[in-house]
Amino acid sequence: MPYFTKLLLLIFCLVLLVESRKHRRRRWTSHPDVQRASHIFKKNRDLTKAWKGKTEQLLRVNEHDFTMRPAFGGPAIPVGVDVQVESLDSISEVDMDFTMTLYLRHYWKDERLSFPSTNNKSMTFDGRLVKKIWVPDVFFVHSKRSFIHDTTTDNIMLRVFPDGHVLYSMRITVTAMCNMDFSHFPLDTQTCSLELESYAYTDEDLMLYWKNGNESLKTDEKISLSQFLIQKFHTTSRLAFYSSTGWYNRLYINFTLRRHIFFFLLQTYFPATLMVMLSWVSFWIDRRAVPARVSLGITTVLTMSTIITGVNASMPRVSYIKAVDIYLWVSFVFVFLSVLEYAAVNYLTTVQERKERKLRERFSCSCGIPHSKTMMLDGNCSESDANSLAGYTRNQMVPEEEKPEKMVVHLAMSNESNSSRKRGLKGHVGLRIIQNTHAIDKYSRLIFPGTYIFFNLIYWSVFS
């Protein structure tokens, strides 16, 4: 009996608990907001189920073999293409390629996807339906890398119209090859192209064409590059032939780029020009200052070598000469010639001093000649030395060509007054006594700058 009583009590408690829960649930569902939400949920759920079945019936995806192209066995299916360029990301001279992000859209008609519609509205789908129907197999010729953006989902859109027309759009980033000519670098203009073509279908099965001609290519107004100015975009098309498979329609997206020169003026041309001008400073330095002139020449030569190496490090190893190579190597030759110029000056000075030493030894015995005295004058004589020449007149003992820097003079006794002798001596010292500049330095001060200016005029007139 006690067990039976306990069982009844337990059953009674369970019944009370269930009834209380039912009562609370009825009170919660009777609230207006809850009833409205429940009604919307049921409505949307029903519409989704009904629309799903209706879509399958309208498109009839499972009733056709979409591995075959539309109108298989008939004429070539026309596929229109238009492109909107979103960005031109980079241009690489070393790899000879460019990277572009674009919206690629295809237009064609597939009657198998037609459906009846009273309001003539299209249906839009994402990339999941693309795997179930036929789409053009367009690829990028000469592309190195490409991918379809997939954040946050695959950037693919498919729009089907009631008459069977289809719009297929993708957002793609592609890196393609661009054959560049650097013969005028950095004063060059490059033309690159992105090529589209069907991989499997020849022109007998698929005909690619620009949907609206030149208007099929749109570009973003904010597109810009650091080293290039984008001059123009335009479209072309032609047939491409492969010996194994046949003729294919190929579409071209062409764009022309002109390089900004200001960067290279600051980084290459101005430093090279300044190094050449700095090498000319040695023409105004005393030819006896060997350490100064030699160190200046070596410094300018090494700096020019560094500039040339830096420019070539950022360029592809082409087998022809670039415009910047011509300028840099001519500048290097000018700097190198300035070093050779001082070598010639130093050598000729040494030879000349050796000849003068021999002449001094040869005329050292002329002191025995009556009423005459032989002396050596050089550019370092003081005013007291010049005044000591009073009472003597100059008599040439050697030809003019043998004494451009130092000269041997024969002094003879004269009856002229002291004042006349002093005035004549001072005029002679001002005109004939040796100077510290060699004749080669004098000519180099004019020849080097004049020749370099003439080279610059020809260079910029040819390449600019």
Side-chain angles (χ1 to χ4, degrees), residues 8 10 21 30 60 66 80 107 154 196 294-295 310 324 351 405 462:
L8 289 177
L10 180 61
R21 286 187 176 182
S30 63
R60 301 188 303 274
F66 283 96
Y107 302 85
D154 291 340
L196 293 83
V294 171
S295 60
V324 68
V351 173
E405 301 295 337
V462 171

mmCIF file of all heavy atoms in Angstrom, residues 8 10 21 30 60 66 80 107 154 196 294-295 310 324 351 405 462:
data_model
loop_
_atom_site.group_PDB
_atom_site.id
_atom_site.type_symbol
_atom_site.label_atom_id
_atom_site.label_comp_id
_atom_site.label_asym_id
_atom_site.label_seq_id
_atom_site.Cartn_x
_atom_site.Cartn_y
_atom_site.Cartn_z
ATOM 1 N N LEU A 8 1.181 7.056 -6.823
ATOM 2 C CA LEU A 8 0.129 8.012 -7.172
ATOM 3 C C LEU A 8 0.593 9.457 -6.962
ATOM 4 O O LEU A 8 0.303 10.350 -7.763
ATOM 5 C CB LEU A 8 -1.123 7.713 -6.325
ATOM 6 C CG LEU A 8 -1.900 6.438 -6.671
ATOM 7 C CD1 LEU A 8 -3.069 6.242 -5.688
ATOM 8 C CD2 LEU A 8 -2.426 6.508 -8.097
ATOM 9 N N LEU A 10 3.605 10.559 -7.147
ATOM 10 C CA LEU A 10 4.574 10.902 -8.198
ATOM 11 C C LEU A 10 3.879 11.225 -9.514
ATOM 12 O O LEU A 10 4.219 12.195 -10.200
ATOM 13 C CB LEU A 10 5.547 9.739 -8.388
ATOM 14 C CG LEU A 10 6.628 9.933 -9.462
ATOM 15 C CD1 LEU A 10 7.520 11.136 -9.107
ATOM 16 C CD2 LEU A 10 7.475 8.656 -9.565
ATOM 17 N N ARG A 21 3.555 23.893 -17.437
ATOM 18 C CA ARG A 21 4.361 24.238 -18.625
ATOM 19 C C ARG A 21 3.460 24.582 -19.797
ATOM 20 O O ARG A 21 3.745 25.507 -20.561
ATOM 21 C CB ARG A 21 5.292 23.079 -18.978
ATOM 22 C CG ARG A 21 6.464 22.938 -18.018
ATOM 23 C CD ARG A 21 7.431 21.879 -18.514
ATOM 24 N NE ARG A 21 8.598 21.793 -17.648
ATOM 25 C CZ ARG A 21 9.622 20.976 -17.860
ATOM 26 N NH1 ARG A 21 9.596 20.154 -18.930
ATOM 27 N NH2 ARG A 21 10.643 20.957 -17.020
ATOM 28 N N SER A 30 0.530 33.590 -26.910
ATOM 29 C CA SER A 30 -0.581 34.520 -27.108
ATOM 30 C C SER A 30 -0.133 35.956 -27.205
ATOM 31 O O SER A 30 -0.931 36.830 -27.537
ATOM 32 C CB SER A 30 -1.582 34.358 -25.942
ATOM 33 O OG SER A 30 -0.963 34.704 -24.702
ATOM 34 N N ARG A 60 14.706 23.986 -65.479
ATOM 35 C CA ARG A 60 14.826 22.612 -65.978
ATOM 36 C C ARG A 60 16.294 22.201 -66.116
ATOM 37 O O ARG A 60 16.747 21.722 -67.157
ATOM 38 C CB ARG A 60 14.100 22.447 -67.316
ATOM 39 C CG ARG A 60 12.617 22.765 -67.252
ATOM 40 C CD ARG A 60 11.923 22.396 -68.553
ATOM 41 N NE ARG A 60 12.517 23.066 -69.693
ATOM 42 C CZ ARG A 60 12.183 24.284 -70.103
ATOM 43 N NH1 ARG A 60 11.237 24.962 -69.444
ATOM 44 N NH2 ARG A 60 12.753 24.837 -71.161
ATOM 45 N N PHE A 66 24.058 19.782 -69.961
ATOM 46 C CA PHE A 66 24.760 21.053 -70.105
ATOM 47 C C PHE A 66 26.251 20.885 -70.355
ATOM 48 O O PHE A 66 26.992 21.861 -70.339
ATOM 49 C CB PHE A 66 24.526 21.909 -68.857
ATOM 50 C CG PHE A 66 23.167 22.545 -68.816
ATOM 51 C CD1 PHE A 66 22.128 21.947 -68.116
ATOM 52 C CD2 PHE A 66 22.920 23.724 -69.500
ATOM 53 C CE1 PHE A 66 20.875 22.520 -68.084
ATOM 54 C CE2 PHE A 66 21.660 24.308 -69.467
ATOM 55 C CZ PHE A 66 20.631 23.709 -68.764
ATOM 56 N N GLY A 80 29.208 37.529 -76.283
ATOM 57 C CA GLY A 80 29.694 38.892 -76.119
ATOM 58 C C GLY A 80 30.460 39.047 -74.821
ATOM 59 O O GLY A 80 30.177 38.380 -73.816
ATOM 60 N N TYR A 107 28.090 37.374 -72.229
ATOM 61 C CA TYR A 107 26.673 37.422 -72.618
ATOM 62 C C TYR A 107 26.448 36.375 -73.723
ATOM 63 O O TYR A 107 27.161 36.385 -74.731
ATOM 64 C CB TYR A 107 26.293 38.808 -73.141
ATOM 65 C CG TYR A 107 26.545 39.948 -72.166
ATOM 66 C CD1 TYR A 107 27.801 40.543 -72.071
ATOM 67 C CD2 TYR A 107 25.521 40.430 -71.367
ATOM 68 C CE1 TYR A 107 28.034 41.574 -71.186
ATOM 69 C CE2 TYR A 107 25.739 41.476 -70.482
ATOM 70 C CZ TYR A 107 27.004 42.042 -70.395
ATOM 71 O OH TYR A 107 27.229 43.080 -69.517
ATOM 72 N N ASP A 154 32.521 33.321 -53.286
ATOM 73 C CA ASP A 154 33.014 33.422 -54.655
ATOM 74 C C ASP A 154 32.354 34.596 -55.371
ATOM 75 O O ASP A 154 31.129 34.714 -55.403
ATOM 76 C CB ASP A 154 32.718 32.131 -55.422
ATOM 77 C CG ASP A 154 33.541 30.968 -54.906
ATOM 78 O OD1 ASP A 154 34.577 31.222 -54.257
ATOM 79 O OD2 ASP A 154 33.152 29.813 -55.145
ATOM 80 N N LEU A 196 42.159 37.457 -74.275
ATOM 81 C CA LEU A 196 41.121 36.496 -73.886
ATOM 82 C C LEU A 196 40.808 35.588 -75.064
ATOM 83 O O LEU A 196 40.703 36.059 -76.203
ATOM 84 C CB LEU A 196 39.851 37.210 -73.422
ATOM 85 C CG LEU A 196 39.897 38.024 -72.135
ATOM 86 C CD1 LEU A 196 40.462 39.405 -72.396
ATOM 87 C CD2 LEU A 196 38.495 38.142 -71.542
ATOM 88 N N VAL A 294 94.347 63.535 -57.556
ATOM 89 C CA VAL A 294 94.189 62.095 -57.722
ATOM 90 C C VAL A 294 92.992 61.579 -56.922
ATOM 91 O O VAL A 294 92.176 60.793 -57.425
ATOM 92 C CB VAL A 294 95.481 61.363 -57.316
ATOM 93 C CG1 VAL A 294 95.250 59.853 -57.270
ATOM 94 C CG2 VAL A 294 96.597 61.683 -58.292
ATOM 95 N N SER A 295 92.862 62.011 -55.680
ATOM 96 C CA SER A 295 91.737 61.550 -54.863
ATOM 97 C C SER A 295 90.404 62.017 -55.434
ATOM 98 O O SER A 295 89.404 61.287 -55.403
ATOM 99 C CB SER A 295 91.895 62.040 -53.433
ATOM 100 O OG SER A 295 91.924 63.473 -53.402
ATOM 101 N N GLY A 310 73.742 50.453 -59.583
ATOM 102 C CA GLY A 310 72.413 50.570 -58.991
ATOM 103 C C GLY A 310 71.300 50.582 -60.013
ATOM 104 O O GLY A 310 70.242 49.992 -59.803
ATOM 105 N N VAL A 324 69.461 55.023 -70.895
ATOM 106 C CA VAL A 324 70.154 55.418 -69.671
ATOM 107 C C VAL A 324 71.580 54.893 -69.650
ATOM 108 O O VAL A 324 72.480 55.539 -69.069
ATOM 109 C CB VAL A 324 69.357 54.926 -68.444
ATOM 110 C CG1 VAL A 324 69.380 53.410 -68.335
ATOM 111 C CG2 VAL A 324 69.860 55.568 -67.173
ATOM 112 N N VAL A 351 108.653 65.523 -67.432
ATOM 113 C CA VAL A 351 109.574 65.568 -68.576
ATOM 114 C C VAL A 351 110.167 66.960 -68.737
ATOM 115 O O VAL A 351 111.371 67.122 -68.985
ATOM 116 C CB VAL A 351 108.834 65.135 -69.858
ATOM 117 C CG1 VAL A 351 109.724 65.350 -71.083
ATOM 118 C CG2 VAL A 351 108.435 63.670 -69.762
ATOM 119 N N GLU A 405 107.439 76.896 -68.924
ATOM 120 C CA GLU A 405 107.196 77.056 -67.507
ATOM 121 C C GLU A 405 108.379 77.714 -66.799
ATOM 122 O O GLU A 405 108.186 78.594 -65.976
ATOM 123 C CB GLU A 405 106.887 75.698 -66.878
ATOM 124 C CG GLU A 405 105.681 74.988 -67.482
ATOM 125 C CD GLU A 405 104.417 75.763 -67.207
ATOM 126 O OE1 GLU A 405 104.406 76.543 -66.247
ATOM 127 O OE2 GLU A 405 103.453 75.595 -67.953
ATOM 128 N N VAL A 462 67.188 63.451 -79.129
ATOM 129 C CA VAL A 462 66.931 62.155 -79.783
ATOM 130 C C VAL A 462 65.959 61.314 -78.973
ATOM 131 O O VAL A 462 65.018 60.730 -79.522
ATOM 132 C CB VAL A 462 68.254 61.396 -79.986
ATOM 133 C CG1 VAL A 462 67.987 59.974 -80.449
ATOM 134 C CG2 VAL A 462 69.118 62.109 -81.012
#
